[in-house]
Amino acid sequence: MSTTRSVQVGLIQMPCQPEVVANRDRAEQLVRDAAKRGAQVICLQELFDARYCGQTVDVKGYELAEPLPSPTTERFGRLAGELGVVLIVPIYEEARPGVYFNSVVVYDADGSLVGKYRKTHIPDGPQYLEKYYFTPGDLGYKVFPTRFGVLGVAICWDEWYPEVARIMALMGAEILFYPSAIGSEPDEPELSTQEAWKTVIRAHGVANNVFVAAVNRVGVEDQMTFYGGSFLSGPLGEVLCEGRDREEVLIASADLAQIRKARNLLHFLRDRRIDTYGPLLQRLVEPNDN
């Protein structure tokens, strides 16, 4: 019989103001609120301290990037240690002048840096012009052992790819976190991706029998409306908490012992036929050419 391993997960979705300092200050207030309400692992949204720059191509957007460690990361690292929480902090990283990454740093509950991940999949489409701003990540996929569990972290466009979730699950991740910035499609105003977004992420949780958390921003920024909808789902896809289209601090309990229970019921990892998956390493696959 599995024993309960309950972890309190906090997800913070917020609108972003034009002033970077105001966003950082508000994020700290919301992290403190989440910790006060019992959250042990807290995740901020993608690029939480600025408005989403990917809507246009503008060299001024590079001014938002920071070399690491930065005043922002050090501030939130200290905050993690002060509050005794694990903190997932997205950041626009300047690795060298002219080389910029969409990154996340993870701090353990004692304030120590656990590690860093750089976004691997970079979109390029109307109002999501990220290839201008971000170099594809070069660190590989990461999991982060912390006081409250083993966390896998990927960023926004990464969340649409089942391969990413599978790799992190195989590396031992118990909760997958996806800081995000996704909303309306101004060139197709009648289209909403929200249900597709929610469905595919929950499916990653089911296919790997892990908890999955998506953390998305809210509010109107220039031509885009970000729809929020942050959520945590369980190893069988059950939604444990879900936000609406407003600023919210979401708190939900994740019983990590349920992972073993789900995997002993649904043997997806046991029954993988890795000897048949070679075509996944090819860009195109001809019919019957495997």
Side-chain angles (χ1 to χ4, degrees), residues 47-62:
L47 304 173
F48 74 94
D49 64 350
R51 293 208 170 200
Y52 180 68
C53 61
Q55 293 188 59
T56 59
V57 169
D58 188 342
V59 70
K60 292 181 180 178
Y62 297 135

Side-chain angles (χ1 to χ4, degrees), residues 52-59 61 125-130 132-133 222-224:
Y52 180 68
C53 61
Q55 293 188 59
T56 59
V57 169
D58 188 342
V59 70
Q127 284 74 50
Y128 294 95
L129 302 168
E130 295 193 14
Y132 181 79
Y133 294 99
D222 299 323
Q223 299 183 62
M224 294 184 66

